[in-house]
């Protein structure tokens, strides 16, 4: 249910700021690592920064796919979910704009479907990778850091390595949306813009 009075809560706005900051940091780190050839560097960078953010910023989602999954399971209110999505997208766009200024070209910014397979195969791998990430995130919510951060970071790295050769291994609509908005390149963008089937766990959203 919508809770307009939550807008007057300092805790609420700290949570929104944490989502924006976490997404900005995550996307910025992954974009920087994507300059290196091959999927290994962005996979490791994404896993390390995801684990670090889970331990330092109160387990932010920093991922619209995870936020939508929490909304679908009613573990996150509509108001908090909507503002979280906006904060995540804003953070991703800011990170992408800064990366475009700092990086030599746009080649590493945009998540692309690889020539290894078809767009349908890319979607299948992206869905699988995002599903295992959501499963890890939901399970890690019941565990204290650093164990939760380690599980989440490992899931990000594993998913990126598995799906990277096919879809780029985004697993995060914000990571794909930010560069697409900044560069205007929307090729096969639909592959990254969906959320996974919700795993049958008992998800918990920090202070959500």
């Amino acid at each position: 249910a919508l809770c307009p009075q939550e807008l007057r809560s300092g805790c609420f706005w700290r949570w929104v700021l944490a989502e924006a900051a976490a997404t900005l940091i995550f996307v910025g780190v992954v974009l920087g690592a994507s300059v290196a050839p091959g999927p290994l560097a962005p996979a490791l960078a994404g896993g390390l920064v995801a684990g670090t953010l889970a331990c330092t910023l109160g387990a932010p989602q920093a991922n619209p796919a995870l936020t939508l999954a929490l909304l679908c399971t009613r573990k996150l209110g509509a108001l908090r979910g909507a503002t979280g999505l906006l904060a995540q997208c804003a953070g991703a766009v800011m990170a992408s704009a800064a990366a475009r200024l700092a990086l030599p070209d746009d080649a590493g910014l945009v998540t692309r479907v690889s020539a290894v397979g078809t767009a349908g195969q890319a979607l299948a791998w992206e869905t699988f990778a995002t599903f295992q990430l959501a499963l890890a995130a939901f399970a890690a919510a019941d565990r204290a850091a650093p164990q939760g951060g380690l599980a989440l970071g490992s899931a990000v790295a594993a998913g990126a390595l598995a799906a990277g050769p096919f879809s780029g291994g985004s697993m995060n609509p914000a990571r794909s949306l930010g560069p697409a908005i900044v560069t205007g390149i929307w090729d096969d963008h639909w592959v990254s813009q969906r959320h996974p089937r919700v795993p049958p766990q008992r998800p918990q959203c920090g202070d959500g």
Side-chain angles (χ1 to χ4, degrees), residues 41-125:
L44 291 179
L48 290 171
V49 73
T52 300
L53 291 171
C55 296
T56 57
L57 289 181
Q61 291 124 44
N63 187 332
L66 299 182
T67 301
L68 288 172
L70 289 168
L71 278 170
C72 290
T73 54
R74 299 183 180 180
K75 299 299 181 181
L76 193 65
L79 179 61
R80 184 164 287 215
T83 52
L85 289 172
L86 290 174
Q88 290 159 4
C89 292
V93 170
M94 288 188 289
S96 301
R100 194 181 192 195
L101 293 175
L103 298 179
D105 55 54
D106 297 342
L109 293 181
V110 181
T111 305
R112 298 177 184 273
V113 171
S114 171
V116 171
T118 65
Q121 290 172 324
L123 177 62
W125 276 102

Side-chain angles (χ1 to χ4, degrees), residues 38 158 171:
M171 298 176 289

Side-chain angles (χ1 to χ4, degrees), residues 139-166:
D142 293 330
R143 291 169 173 77
Q147 290 84 357
L150 177 61
L152 187 61
S154 298
V156 170
L161 287 172
F166 300 91

Side-chain angles (χ1 to χ4, degrees), residues 183-200:
T183 63
I185 301 173
W186 298 86
D187 297 348
D188 294 312
H189 186 72
W190 59 273
V191 170
S192 300
Q193 300 306 307
R194 79 287 158 276
H195 62 89
R197 292 177 59 194
V198 179

